[in-house]
Amino acid sequence: MAARQPVSFLPAPAPHWVGDGFRVFPLFADLAFREEVSPFLMLDYAAPHVFPPRETPPGVGAHPHRGFETVTVVYDGEIEHRDSAGNAGTIGPGDVQWMTAGAGLLHEEFHSREQSKRGGLVSMAQLWVNLPAKNKSTPPAYQTILKEQIPLVDLVGGSLRVIAGAYAGAKGPARLFSDLHVWDVELKEGSAMQLDVTSGDTAMIALFSGAIDVAEHKIAQPGLLMFATEGESLVFRVDSKAKMLVLSGKPIGEPIAAQGPFVMNTQSEIHQAIADFRAGKMGRLEDFESQGA
Ligand code: MN
């Protein structure tokens, strides 16, 4: 089994706020929406942040999406979601929401009312996963994946949760449109890791905390580690207790046209998405708000 060479490490860029609820580090940095990271598009990591108690939940109000999927992994706190396709749900620590925007919808993302009232720690990650051209118009869908539905694989130096795809025979619960794997991994100091991946797949480690050593390169800050596409395993040592998402998948290999909340294949499809959103074809804000947001 050939170990993959690391090709680049992108330290976490400066954080920005998404609405008033999520202070995120855009970990894909300049590689976001590029073929190099396909089938993934971008990853926002909201590091642990303490919020004061308040009556009105912080977060981000109704906004559209089309042409891809959003995957929200909660580490601390409680997040509430509602969308124009009629789906709503609350997820807490260890839970995941896998939302397929597909043909288009409006949604909002807030701290839950309870979370907001008591205040405290909130930490999460949101990954955007691209859809192949043939699935970009799929009807919107929504999957709440609770912690207990996610297979937990014990590793010699820690544990790995299979959110999507598979690892060592354990299969993740997420329904997928392309071949990919999302592993939520926590590792102890001193462990020597070898994670097997498919040669030719894109593979990367989004390091949230801790320190690792890959092929004699020490990485001791949050960021994105990209691997070469050839080779069957990611080999590294854990220098201090680490938390990460390990992402791999078959590149979709189609043109990417991305603008704000829309990710299509061509610029004319982007213009169509904007027109459809303005015409209310992704659901109406009024109907949406009358649901009781
Ligand atoms: Mn959104």
Side-chain angles (χ1 to χ4, degrees):
M1 300 287 264
R4 290 203 191 191
Q5 287 303 309
V7 289
S8 61
F9 176 72
L10 309 175
H16 62 263
W17 283 90
V18 175
D20 58 358
F22 310 100
R23 181 175 176 265
V24 303
F25 294 85
L27 292 190
F28 279 19
D30 291 343
L31 287 180
F33 304 101
R34 289 179 42 168
E35 183 58 24
E36 289 96 319
V37 291
S38 181
F40 308 102
L41 293 165
M42 72 101 179
L43 176 65
D44 274 346
Y45 173 56
H49 186 84
V50 176
F51 289 80
R54 53 182 262 193
E55 281 302 313
T56 319
V60 53
H63 58 280
H65 289 299
R66 171 182 280 181
F68 64 102
E69 304 183 282
T70 65
V71 179
T72 306
V73 183
V74 176
Y75 295 108
D76 296 292
E78 218 175 53
I79 310 294
E80 214 172 279
H81 161 106
R82 198 190 306 269
D83 71 39
S84 58
N87 296 307
T90 302
I91 52 172
D95 300 338
V96 173
Q97 183 214 76
W98 197 289
M99 186 190 79
T100 306
L105 47 56
L106 300 188
H107 79 159
E108 60 175 27
E109 303 158 87
F110 284 103
H111 295 197
S112 73
R113 280 172 197 282
E114 284 299 304
Q115 173 68 39
S116 178
K117 272 187 191 140
R118 74 177 166 256
L121 207 55
V122 171
S123 171
M124 51 84 88
Q126 188 171 85
L127 174 70
W128 289 16
V129 176
N130 206 358
L131 285 168
K134 66 177 194 299
N135 301 118
K136 281 190 182 288
S137 301
T138 193
Y142 172 96
Q143 214 187 341
T144 294
I145 303 173
L146 299 175
K147 186 178 179 179
E148 51 269 28
Q149 297 169 261
I150 302 174
L152 178 75
V153 180
D154 282 323
L155 304 173
V156 171
S159 62
L160 181 155
R161 300 197 315 142
V162 187
I163 293 172
Y167 182 82
K171 282 195 165 55
R175 286 186 302 268
L176 301 176
F177 290 88
S178 74
D179 190 4
L180 59 87
H181 307 272
V182 177
W183 302 331
D184 183 23
V185 183
E186 284 192 25
L187 299 168
K188 293 173 198 147
E189 179 173 335
S191 13
M193 295 309 307
Q194 178 183 326
L195 301 175
D196 294 341
V197 292
T198 305
S199 190
D201 279 6
T202 301
M204 59 191 104
I205 290 175
L207 184 66
F208 296 153
S209 63
I212 60 176
D213 184 313
V214 186
E216 306 305 318
H217 299 284
K218 286 187 183 301
I219 296 167
Q221 59 176 312
L224 186 77
L225 176 65
M226 293 291 303
F227 287 88
T229 50
E230 302 312 311
E232 292 81 27
S233 58
L234 312 183
V235 176
F236 56 97
R237 207 179 60 230
V238 181
D239 290 339
S240 77
K241 186 178 181 294
K243 195 171 161 64
M244 63 187 72
L245 278 181
V246 179
L247 308 174
S248 65
K250 194 174 154 52
I252 291 175
E254 295 171 346
I256 297 167
Q259 190 175 318
F262 308 123
V263 183
M264 306 303 292
N265 299 109
T266 66
Q267 203 52 41
S268 81
E269 289 169 345
I270 291 289
H271 293 142
Q272 190 61 52
I274 294 167
D276 288 350
F277 164 56
R278 288 184 180 152
K281 290 181 184 170
M282 296 185 189
R284 294 203 177 265
L285 208 57
E286 308 84 66
D287 300 348
F288 179 69
E289 283 175 343
S290 72
Q291 290 172 14

